[in-house]
């Protein structure tokens, strides 16, 4: 095999690929391989030297989506590889190191974060991470603000806009996040017992749908920052004291608030899971308090750090006017609130579910968690322009519905 023509790789191909194309392992190394991908789209191989334990990750893109088998561009693999490297320069230490990218086999070869765990599953197990909010807000302030043309030269930024146009992946988000949950569709697979609620609160609410349509226009047209584009807790790996962001295959030039809103919404899924599943009152109060503190810090620390990046690095002359710089950051927070609402809704009333909610075994508890998320989401969307410039406003809404329902 010389890997000069693309095909869908399996574990044995990844071993052969590592031997032939990578200089990572010594000749004759006894290699093993496991396919460890748990996402919907790609194949992720961990290739390891059985003797030394040294290992590498090969992320491989096929021409079909892994779950649906629908056709999809493999350019996402190039975008992921390049964006990881850009993010690594802007926010050192927050992404895995990229070793190589193969444009023929669509293989992104990168550091194996063996000692890290997927944040979504850690939160479901009610674990806490003392530096998470600080880490993720540093990552977002740097990668989002430093790729705007408030900081970059406008011509250089427009080159990025062109290079990271990502039509197939944006099409997925435009359908799954911004459209399907608001129309009847059997693929939405709504939890039994919540169908009427979803119909009433989402499909029949034309005022809400107008706001959603406005946010969809924003997503399609606001080429503000090089966004990660899918920054949910399954794209984040953690260990105590360190955070790594993976999987920017949905990256494109979009509203900076897209990433911020996704982080907030996915912490809220963890909150809703903990609210309905933790039985011991003391344990529950402590865990909800940590999550609420994290949810608040995501907004509050991002706001401070984004402002600091602008003060330090802006090339746009108007940023020196405090009123404009403040408006610039608040505008991102407005978008983030709308996006947080959309992400909460689409993971419950749309096709792509999250384990925090999907895996709640007791149906009554699951229905309750879903309703808290949906009603809160509606407030985030409809009141985004006048509220949610402070993190405590998000947790106040959650607690309001948790107390009511
Ligand atoms: C077909 S892809 C479904 C979802 O998984 C990804 O992680 C994105 O969130 C996408 O919407
Ligand atoms: Mg992903």
């Amino acid at each position: 095999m010389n890997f000069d023509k693309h095909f869908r790789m399996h574990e044995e191909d990844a071993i052969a690929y590592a031997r032939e194309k990578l200089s990572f392992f010594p000749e004759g190394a006894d290699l093993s391989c496991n396919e460890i991908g748990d996402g919907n789209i790609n194949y992720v191989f961990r290739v390891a030297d059985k003797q030394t334990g040294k290992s590498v990750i090969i992320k491989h893109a096929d021409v079909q989506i892994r779950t649906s088998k629908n056709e999809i561009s493999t350019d996402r693999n190039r975008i992921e590889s390049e964006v990881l490297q850009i993010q690594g320069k802007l926010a050192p230490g927050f992404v895995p190191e990229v070793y190589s990218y193969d444009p023929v086999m669509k293989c992104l070869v990168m550091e194996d974060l063996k000692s890290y765990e997927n944040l979504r599953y850690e939160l479901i197990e009610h674990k806490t991470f003392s530096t998470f909010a600080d880490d993720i807000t540093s990552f977002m302030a740097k990668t989002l603000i430093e790729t705007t043309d408030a900081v970059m030269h406008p011509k250089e930024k427009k080159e990025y806009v062109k290079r990271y146009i990502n039509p197939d992946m944006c099409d997925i988000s435009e359908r799954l996040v911004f459209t399907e949950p608001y129309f009847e569709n059997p693929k939405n697979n709504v939890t039994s017992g919540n169908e009427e609620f979803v119909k009433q609160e989402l499909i029949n609410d034309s005022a809400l749908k107008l706001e959603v349509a406005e946010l969809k226009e924003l997503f399609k047209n606001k080429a503000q920052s090089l966004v990660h584009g899918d920054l949910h807790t399954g794209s984040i790996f953690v260990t105590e004291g360190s955070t790594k962001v993976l999987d920017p295959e949905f990256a494109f030039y979009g509203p900076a608030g897209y990433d911020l809103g996704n982080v907030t919404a996915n912490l809220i899924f963890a909150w809703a899971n903990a609210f309905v599943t933790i039985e011991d009152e003391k344990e529950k109060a402590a865990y909800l308090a940590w999550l609420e503190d994290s949810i608040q810090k995501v907004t509050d620390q991002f706001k401070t750090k984004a402002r600091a990046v602008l003060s330090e690095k802006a090339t746009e002359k108007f940023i020196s006017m405090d009123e404009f710089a403040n408006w610039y950051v608040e505008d991102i927070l407005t978008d983030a609130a709308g996006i947080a609402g959309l992400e909460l809704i689409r993971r419950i009333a749309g096709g792509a579910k999250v384990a925090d909610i999907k895996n709640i075994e007791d149906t009554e508890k699951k229905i309750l968690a879903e309703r808290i998320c949906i009603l809160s989401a509606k407030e985030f969307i409809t009141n985004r322009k006048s509220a949610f410039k402070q993190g405590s406003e998000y947790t106040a809404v959650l607690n309001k519905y948790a107390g009511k329902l």
Side-chain angles (χ1 to χ4, degrees):
M1 232 178 291
N2 53 14
F3 299 100
D4 59 359
K5 193 165 180 295
H6 181 269
F7 64 93
R8 146 88 162 92
M9 286 166 67
H10 294 83
E11 287 174 344
E12 60 278 18
D13 306 311
I15 292 181
Y17 185 89
R19 286 196 202 291
E20 286 186 42
K21 303 291 272 189
L22 309 181
S23 49
F24 192 79
F25 298 107
E27 253 191 37
D30 189 7
L31 301 181
S32 66
C33 177
N34 288 316
E35 202 284 312
I36 56 166
D38 73 340
N40 297 309
I41 305 178
N42 303 291
Y43 300 89
V44 181
F45 301 105
R46 170 179 280 146
V47 181
D49 182 333
K50 285 187 202 162
Q51 237 167 17
T52 62
K54 202 178 159 203
S55 58
V56 73
I57 295 293
I58 302 175
K59 184 165 178 180
H60 170 61
D62 189 23
V63 294
Q64 291 182 337
I65 293 181
R66 180 176 183 152
T67 47
S68 67
K69 307 292 176 214
N70 289 338
E71 284 196 3
I72 185 167
S73 162
T74 52
D75 195 36
R76 65 188 188 277
N77 200 246
R78 171 193 67 86
I79 291 179
E80 177 166 348
S81 144
E82 292 185 13
V83 170
L84 275 177
Q85 292 174 74
I86 292 170
Q87 292 174 335
K89 283 195 187 117
L90 296 174
F94 289 120
V95 294
E97 190 183 340
V98 172
Y99 300 143
S100 63
Y101 165 64
D102 179 338
V104 175
M105 287 308 299
K106 312 294 176 190
C107 283
L108 161 58
V109 183
M110 61 188 152
E111 180 184 358
D112 186 3
L113 300 170
K114 267 188 296 209
S115 55
Y116 289 71
E117 301 290 344
N118 183 307
L119 178 59
R120 185 179 306 287
Y121 293 97
E122 295 295 277
L123 297 179
I124 290 173
E125 285 181 20
H126 311 138
K127 301 218 178 115
T128 62
F129 296 91
S130 62
T131 64
F132 171 68
D134 186 31
D135 291 344
I136 201 69
T137 51
S138 295
F139 172 82
M140 289 193 289
K142 289 175 182 168
T143 59
L144 297 172
I145 303 298
E146 291 191 36
T147 56
T148 63
D149 46 17
V151 172
M152 288 178 84
H153 189 288
K155 281 191 185 170
E156 197 192 337
K157 181 237 172 180
K158 287 177 184 70
E159 281 303 318
Y160 266 26
V161 174
K162 195 162 76 181
R163 193 165 177 84
Y164 299 114
I165 186 132
N166 200 350
D168 281 21
M169 304 310 269
C170 284
D171 176 61
I172 292 178
S173 302
E174 284 156 28
R175 286 185 287 109
L176 271 58
V177 181
F178 294 90
T179 313
E180 289 174 4
Y182 304 93
F183 298 90
E184 302 266 13
N185 183 346
K187 273 198 300 184
N188 288 346
N189 195 19
V190 175
T191 301
S192 159
N194 252 348
E195 298 98 330
E196 261 315 301
F197 181 84
V198 162
K199 194 169 172 190
Q200 201 57 31
E201 295 293 339
L202 305 177
I203 297 173
N204 292 349
D205 187 341
S206 348
L208 176 76
K209 285 164 85 164
L210 269 178
E211 299 292 344
V212 173
E214 197 179 293
L215 285 160
K216 188 174 177 183
E217 278 305 295
L218 179 99
F219 181 81
K220 290 193 284 189
N221 294 299
K222 189 168 183 170
Q224 182 178 30
S225 296
L226 183 56
V227 299
H228 177 285
D230 197 25
L231 195 46
H232 55 81
T233 43
S235 299
I236 301 172
F237 277 61
V238 283
T239 183
E240 176 47 34
S242 179
T243 303
K244 301 273 185 186
V245 175
L246 283 81
D247 284 359
E249 65 188 327
F250 281 81
F252 76 111
Y253 256 83
Y258 196 75
D259 287 352
L260 191 60
N262 266 288
V263 172
T264 297
N266 281 274
L267 289 174
I268 290 174
F269 289 131
W271 187 95
N273 173 297
F275 182 76
V276 301
T277 62
I278 303 181
E279 279 170 11
D280 180 89
E281 285 304 323
K282 234 171 128 188
E283 190 199 329
K284 179 169 166 174
Y287 197 57
L288 291 180
W290 179 77
L291 279 171
E292 288 180 24
D293 183 56
S294 304
I295 291 166
Q296 292 174 8
K297 280 180 175 156
V298 164
T299 294
D300 298 340
Q301 294 193 356
F302 175 82
K303 187 162 62 174
T304 310
K305 290 176 189 181
R307 198 64 180 72
V309 172
L310 284 173
S311 299
E312 197 193 327
K313 302 212 160 148
T315 56
E316 166 55 59
K317 282 202 177 333
F318 284 110
I319 293 289
S320 62
M321 295 174 73
D322 274 351
E323 295 88 336
F324 180 64
N326 290 339
W327 172 84
Y328 194 94
V329 175
E330 293 216 339
D331 178 60
I332 296 175
L333 301 181
T334 297
D335 296 346
I339 298 301
L342 286 159
E343 172 73 1
L344 284 163
I345 288 172
R346 73 103 166 197
R347 298 291 193 179
I348 291 166
K353 306 284 196 262
V354 285
D356 323 47
I357 303 296
K358 188 176 74 180
N359 295 352
I360 298 171
E361 281 171 18
D362 181 304
T363 310
E364 266 180 42
K365 289 180 177 172
K366 186 175 182 179
I367 286 175
L368 173 62
E370 291 190 349
R371 290 184 181 188
I372 295 171
C373 289
I374 288 179
L375 293 174
S376 302
K378 289 183 70 173
E379 285 210 25
F380 303 159
I381 292 170
T382 43
N383 297 340
R384 70 190 183 281
K385 292 176 188 162
S386 57
F388 308 111
K389 307 300 177 278
Q390 285 182 55
S392 57
E393 292 179 276
Y394 284 97
T395 52
V397 171
L398 289 179
N399 280 300
K400 179 179 82 178
Y401 287 113
K404 249 193 210 175
L405 292 171

